[in-house]
Amino acid sequence: MSHVLILGGDGYLGWPTAMHFSARGYKVTVVDNYFRRHICDKLDVGMLYPIPTLVERARIWHKQTGYEIQVIIGDLIDPELMRSLFTGQNLNYQWPVNAKFAGSPETVVHYAEQPSAPYSLMNYKTANFTLSNNLLVTNNLMFAVKDLSPDTHIIKLGTMGEYGTPNIDIEEGWIDIKHKGREDRFLFPRQAGSIYHTSKIMDTDLMWFGCRTWGLKVTDLMQGPVYGMETSESIIDDRLKTIFNYDELFGTVINRFIVQAIVGHPLTVYGKGEQIRGYINIRDTLQCVHAAEKNPPKSGELNIYNQIMETFTVNQLAALIQEAAHNIGHNVEIEKVKNPRIEKEEHYYNPNYQGLINLGITPHYLTIDSVQKMIETVFKYREYIDTNVIRIGIQW
Ligand SMILES: NC(=O)c1ccc[n+]([C@@H]2O[C@H](COP(=O)([O-])OP(=O)(O)OC[C@H]3O[C@@H](n4cnc5c(N)ncnc54)[C@H](O)[C@@H]3O)[C@@H](O)[C@H]2O)c1
């Protein structure tokens, strides 16, 4: 049984990933410092429904399935905590009570970052936090693996936002450049649209440094905005659902539009709405991370995949959600609001995202039917929706 360590295991993607691997017989350890919960409380941008603590979730999971997910609560910017995850020394497990070190992990899935572009641009303090948190966690991980477990495969989440919206096709991470009669292969040019995205570019650079200098094995998954909440594992018990934010700070666009449709708030399209991005269902995130785990790179290689399943303009998303909502009795308007972000509102966008499909992913596409199902699920929690957090007014 292989051991998978999930950094950021309490998060939107971390908890479903933990259950996904656990259900398939892996030994799973999750680590989190509850940053995401605490910051949502502090900024009063609550989640759609109450979420049990990580320890409670692990207990419920164990009761329902018999599988154990080991839980450690701590801040991964502490290098000693990070290192102890690879040595087992001084590890303080919160659950189970008799937890034993499962051995140095064969795979680490690194989600433990501040993931919001608007949060990173609230002010200089949140920008500083984003840079220091994301880079220090990544650097601590790189050094721990290099020093203590160089065979461990690091799967790190990047973002399609690292590439920006260039006027050429976006390759999967790498580009061959001919220059003055010579040629070489480089990381695809990156141009971030926020401090958060800048931190992700720097993470990628750190990992590439670690690969070419110390022979680390890294997969970087350049993911687009994720939507959805249910996975094959969460449907067995409502309390196992992942966190779901619908506010302007932490909610991703499709999740936000679904909630807006339910409360009769006009769907807030920023600017002209012709911004194109790649999107992915949370179930496919799990498939992709698992496929990456099964296909580790060789020592010294940085494998990069573009983790999206389809592309839409924001106008297309709004129209799709409006139609789906209308079909089940929610009349909803679309409102073009002044764009709070600095971004191109009309642009070329043609990313390649064949790599993960070639590894056997079967995509879940965004359809009228799948949107209706999401609306029906979220509708059950409508009493918890706080309409004040739909528009907060963060500007770039
Ligand atoms: N959700 C998306 O749409 C999306 C899209 C592209 C990329 N990503 C990337 O995927 C990763 C996970 O995103 P998510 O949506 O699950 O975010 P999330 O905020 O829900 O999860 C991240 C988790 O990491 C924890 N964390 C943060 N800093 C930590 C630290 N110093 N020590 C310990 N724990 C820490 C947080 O408490 C949180 O539970 C991030 O790296 C993000 O950049 C997400």
Side-chain angles (χ1 to χ4, degrees):
M1 272 205 310
S2 182
H3 179 201
V4 180
L5 170 65
I6 299 174
L7 310 181
D10 189 49
Y12 176 56
L13 303 178
W15 176 245
T17 306
M19 292 191 291
H20 180 92
F21 279 108
S22 176
R24 285 155 184 81
Y26 289 77
K27 293 186 234 169
V28 177
T29 305
V30 291
V31 189
D32 207 289
N33 65 349
Y34 289 143
F35 161 76
R36 174 67 177 262
R37 292 174 187 249
H38 292 157
I39 200 67
C40 286
D41 283 349
K42 189 172 161 197
L43 299 172
D44 208 12
V45 289
M47 295 161 189
L48 184 60
Y49 35 76
I51 300 282
T53 65
L54 199 42
V55 168
E56 284 161 350
R57 291 160 127 185
R59 269 203 211 106
I60 297 164
W61 175 246
H62 181 241
K63 202 161 167 220
Q64 293 288 9
T65 65
Y67 292 118
E68 275 183 0
I69 292 175
Q70 299 193 327
V71 177
I72 293 165
I73 302 299
D75 192 338
L76 293 160
I77 66 167
D78 171 5
E80 301 313 327
L81 169 62
M82 184 69 87
R83 297 174 83 79
S84 66
L85 297 168
F86 294 86
T87 60
Q89 284 162 15
N90 304 318
L91 266 187
N92 181 14
Y93 290 96
Q94 256 75 29
W95 199 85
V97 274
N98 58 352
K100 288 195 186 67
F101 184 52
S104 207
E106 278 80 13
T107 307
V108 182
V109 183
H110 171 22
Y111 289 129
E113 303 220 339
Q114 188 302 97
S116 158
Y119 178 81
S120 75
L121 282 165
M122 281 176 78
N123 54 53
Y124 69 90
K125 290 182 185 167
T126 60
N128 274 352
F129 174 81
T130 304
L131 287 171
S132 58
N133 186 69
N134 295 0
L135 289 171
L136 287 180
V137 174
T138 304
N139 197 47
N140 285 343
L141 173 63
M142 181 173 73
F143 271 87
V145 170
K146 157 186 132 38
D147 293 342
L148 304 165
S149 186
D151 272 344
T152 291
H153 172 201
I154 299 174
I155 300 176
K156 160 191 154 317
L157 267 286
T159 151
M160 288 299 288
E162 293 180 38
Y163 303 123
T165 51
N167 202 28
I168 59 172
D169 291 0
I170 298 174
E171 302 305 330
E172 297 212 61
W174 300 96
I175 187 165
D176 297 315
I177 294 185
K178 281 192 186 157
H179 181 65
K180 296 186 177 170
R182 304 182 67 81
E183 58 187 285
D184 206 343
R185 168 163 271 227
F186 295 92
L187 283 171
F188 192 88
R190 279 86 46 80
Q191 39 190 350
S194 77
I195 295 289
Y196 154 68
H197 291 103
T198 304
S199 76
K200 303 297 282 185
I201 289 175
M202 293 170 167
D203 281 346
T204 301
D205 281 336
L206 272 177
M207 286 295 168
W208 175 217
F209 173 78
C211 289
R212 60 183 196 274
T213 310
W214 299 312
L216 301 189
K217 300 192 264 187
V218 180
T219 300
D220 206 341
L221 299 172
M222 299 295 173
Q223 186 172 239
V226 185
Y227 62 89
M229 58 165 77
E230 293 283 23
T231 66
S232 313
E233 290 74 36
S234 71
I235 51 176
I236 62 175
D237 188 316
D238 252 5
R239 296 167 299 170
L240 295 173
K241 272 197 177 44
T242 192
I243 60 174
F244 187 96
N245 279 88
Y246 55 91
D247 56 275
E248 188 188 308
L249 278 171
F250 289 101
T252 48
V253 59
I254 297 174
N255 291 355
R256 282 192 281 126
F257 280 180
I258 300 259
V259 168
Q260 292 174 8
I262 287 171
V263 295
H265 190 288
L267 307 185
T268 50
V269 170
Y270 293 163
K272 292 185 182 154
E274 289 302 304
Q275 304 89 320
I276 311 171
R277 299 288 183 271
Y279 294 88
I280 181 166
N281 187 305
I282 192 165
R283 292 172 188 259
D284 295 342
T285 294
L286 305 187
Q287 285 194 65
C288 291
V289 171
H290 198 172
E293 184 272 338
K294 285 192 280 192
N295 294 278
K298 293 194 190 85
S299 168
E301 276 181 8
L302 172 63
N303 270 359
I304 303 182
Y305 296 100
N306 292 343
Q307 189 163 299
I308 56 175
M309 294 299 144
E310 53 193 330
T311 61
F312 293 99
T313 65
V314 183
N315 286 330
Q316 286 170 329
L317 287 180
L320 186 75
I321 292 167
Q322 183 184 44
E323 187 182 342
H326 184 259
N327 290 350
I328 50 174
H330 302 277
N331 281 324
V332 56
E333 303 292 319
I334 296 174
E335 186 187 349
K336 296 252 166 83
V337 301
K338 186 174 176 299
N339 195 340
R341 305 178 175 206
I342 307 292
E343 62 183 0
K344 287 184 199 151
E345 291 178 7
E346 287 171 307
H347 57 88
Y348 179 78
Y349 199 65
N350 190 23
N352 174 7
Y353 45 97
Q354 202 51 44
L356 287 160
I357 304 288
N358 292 345
L359 293 184
I361 307 305
T362 322
H364 294 77
Y365 292 113
L366 190 72
T367 59
I368 295 280
D369 195 43
S370 66
V371 172
Q372 279 176 203
K373 287 203 179 86
M374 273 194 279
I375 294 175
E376 280 158 6
T377 307
V378 173
F379 188 73
K380 290 191 230 153
Y381 303 97
R382 65 192 177 286
E383 78 209 63
Y384 292 113
I385 297 172
D386 174 2
T387 50
N388 295 319
V389 305
I390 289 178
R391 291 189 67 186
I392 299 173
I394 311 296
Q395 299 222 323
W396 265 217

